[in-house]
Amino acid sequence: MSGGDTAPRVVEDLFGIVQILSDATVVRSDEPVLQPKEAYPDVPGVQWKDVVYHAVHGLRVRVYRPAPLAGSGSSKLPVLVYFHGGGYCMGSFTQPYFHSFCLRAAQELPAVVLSVQYRLAPEHRLPAAIHDGAGFLSWLRGQAELGAGADPWLAESADFARTFVSGVSAGANLAHHVTVQVASGQLAVSPVRVVGYVLLSAFFGGAERTAGETDPPADVSLTVEMSDQFWHMSLPVGASRDHPVANPFGPESPGLALVDLPPALVVAPGSDVLRDHVRGYAASLKKLGKAVEVAVFEGEQHSFSVLRPFGEAADELLRVLRRFVYTATER
C-alpha cells in the first residue's frame, strides 16, 4: 500500500454503541447501557409473541394480551400501540425496560399492547422511523379489515375502535407525528379508530434553549449534551433542532389548529432537562383548544416509566393511564 494510513477513523461516538466513521460507515455494537443491572420480575397472566409487520425491512411488533378477567362481559380490549425510546438512535422493543412496562400495561389497564420496532438512525435518519410508525398503523388497519382472518390474538382480543397511540421519549415524539398524520387525514386507518394518544417523557427539542436546559435539574437521566447528540445523529444532515420532527410547534412546523386531534395525555417528569419542551407542547395544544391532560411527576427523571418500571411512580402512572384510557373510550 502506498501513502499514509487510510483506515477510517471514528468521527462521532454515541456511548460506544453507535459510531460514525470518516467514510460514513456506521458501526453498531450491543447496548449494555440499556440493560438493567438486575433481572425484572415476571408479570404472570400476560401472553406475548413477536409478529412481522414489515417483511422487507424485517420489522416486528411484540403483541401482549392479558388473560381474560373472570366474569368479564366482553373479551375485546382497548389497543395500546407503543413505541420504545432511545433518541431515535438506539433501543429495542425487546429490551427489558420496555418489555416490562408493556407487560404491566397489558395486565393493569388491561389492554392489548403492541410494542413496535422501527428503523434507527444514523443508518436510517428521520423521518424513516416515522414512516415505519405510519406503516405499522397501516398494517394494523389491514388486520382490522381482515376481521376473523386477522392474527388470532388480535381477532380474539383487540377492539380496534378503541386504539391509543403511545410511546416513551423518542417513541413519544413518534407517537405525536403518526397521530397527527391520522387526525389530519394523511394516513387512513379506518376501521381502526385512534381515540387518544399518550406521550411519556416526550423527546422534543428546539434551537432556543429552555430554562430546564440552561439550568438543568440535578441527577438527570438525560443530559442536554446527550439530547443534542441524539438529534444530531438522527435528524437529516444539516437540520437544526427546529426541524418539524424535533419541534412540532417551531417556526418550520405546520400548524395544528385545524387538525382534529384526539385527547392527549402528556406525562411530564419534573427532573428532566426536556420538561419545558414537554410542558410547552401541552400548553400549545391547550391554546389551540385541544383536549389535553398533563400529569406532572415531580422529582422523576426522563423515561422514569421504563427506567424503574416497577417503582412507585410507575405504579401511579399506570393508574393515570388506566383512567385516561377508560375515560376516553366512554366519550
Side-chain angles (χ1 to χ4, degrees):
M1 264 181 85
S2 61
D5 183 6
T6 58
R9 69 185 188 283
V10 175
V11 295
E12 189 146 14
D13 186 290
L14 181 66
F15 307 129
I17 296 170
V18 183
Q19 295 179 327
I20 302 178
L21 306 185
S22 54
D23 63 357
T25 300
V26 176
V27 178
R28 185 176 289 272
S29 62
D30 292 334
E31 299 186 5
V33 69
L34 288 181
Q35 299 296 333
K37 296 178 180 177
E38 299 178 358
Y40 288 140
D42 191 20
V43 178
V46 178
Q47 297 175 299
W48 61 270
K49 66 177 181 178
D50 294 342
V51 176
V52 174
Y53 77 88
H54 196 302
V56 173
H57 292 150
L59 298 175
R60 294 174 291 161
V61 56
R62 183 160 289 184
V63 182
Y64 301 81
R65 70 169 182 175
L69 295 174
S72 60
S74 173
S75 60
K76 300 284 187 176
L77 294 170
V79 174
L80 182 72
V81 176
Y82 180 85
F83 297 107
H84 68 79
Y88 282 122
C89 295
M90 58 188 195
S92 167
F93 72 106
T94 66
Q95 288 171 332
Y97 293 113
F98 309 116
H99 179 65
S100 292
F101 180 81
C102 290
L103 285 170
R104 289 199 65 186
Q107 181 191 63
E108 296 178 38
L109 292 181
V112 173
V113 178
L114 306 176
S115 185
V116 183
Q117 181 183 22
Y118 54 88
R119 288 172 294 167
L120 300 177
E123 299 96 321
H124 307 283
R125 287 183 177 264
L126 291 162
I130 297 169
H131 291 164
D132 293 341
F136 174 75
L137 289 182
S138 294
W139 177 86
L140 193 63
R141 177 193 67 205
Q143 292 292 305
E145 290 172 341
L146 288 171
D151 175 270
W153 287 14
L154 297 179
E156 293 167 9
S157 303
D159 183 350
F160 297 106
R162 294 189 290 161
T163 295
F164 294 80
V165 179
S166 72
V168 62
S169 192
N173 179 291
L174 200 165
H176 158 82
H177 288 290
V178 296
T179 300
V180 168
Q181 289 188 29
V182 172
S184 63
Q186 300 173 60
L187 178 62
V189 297
S190 180
V192 172
R193 181 168 170 253
V194 176
V195 296
Y197 69 113
V198 181
L199 308 188
L200 309 173
S201 305
F203 182 54
F204 293 134
E208 183 178 346
R209 294 296 192 197
T210 65
E213 290 170 320
T214 57
D215 185 19
D219 190 30
V220 296
S221 59
L222 176 75
T223 66
V224 174
E225 292 76 20
M226 291 163 62
S227 175
D228 287 354
Q229 188 174 17
F230 282 136
W231 285 126
H232 179 67
M233 294 181 75
S234 63
L235 287 171
V237 174
S240 78
R241 294 190 303 276
D242 275 337
H243 187 280
V245 172
N247 189 356
F249 286 101
E252 303 174 21
S253 300
L256 298 179
L258 300 181
V259 178
D260 188 19
L261 288 167
L265 171 61
V266 177
V267 174
S271 293
D272 184 357
V273 297
L274 303 183
R275 63 188 180 191
D276 298 318
H277 289 296
V278 174
R279 295 180 188 184
Y281 172 87
S284 295
L285 287 181
K286 288 183 177 180
K287 188 179 292 187
L288 294 176
K290 312 301 183 186
V292 56
E293 176 185 346
V294 181
V296 177
F297 283 75
E298 294 294 353
E300 293 300 325
Q301 297 174 321
H302 184 83
S303 297
F304 71 90
S305 61
V306 291
L307 293 179
R308 292 174 294 281
F310 292 91
E312 292 182 6
D315 293 345
E316 176 60 22
L317 170 60
L318 285 164
R319 287 190 286 268
V320 170
L321 181 56
R322 176 185 171 88
R323 184 173 65 247
F324 175 78
V325 165
Y326 282 91
T327 299
T329 56
E330 291 169 1
R331 288 189 177 97

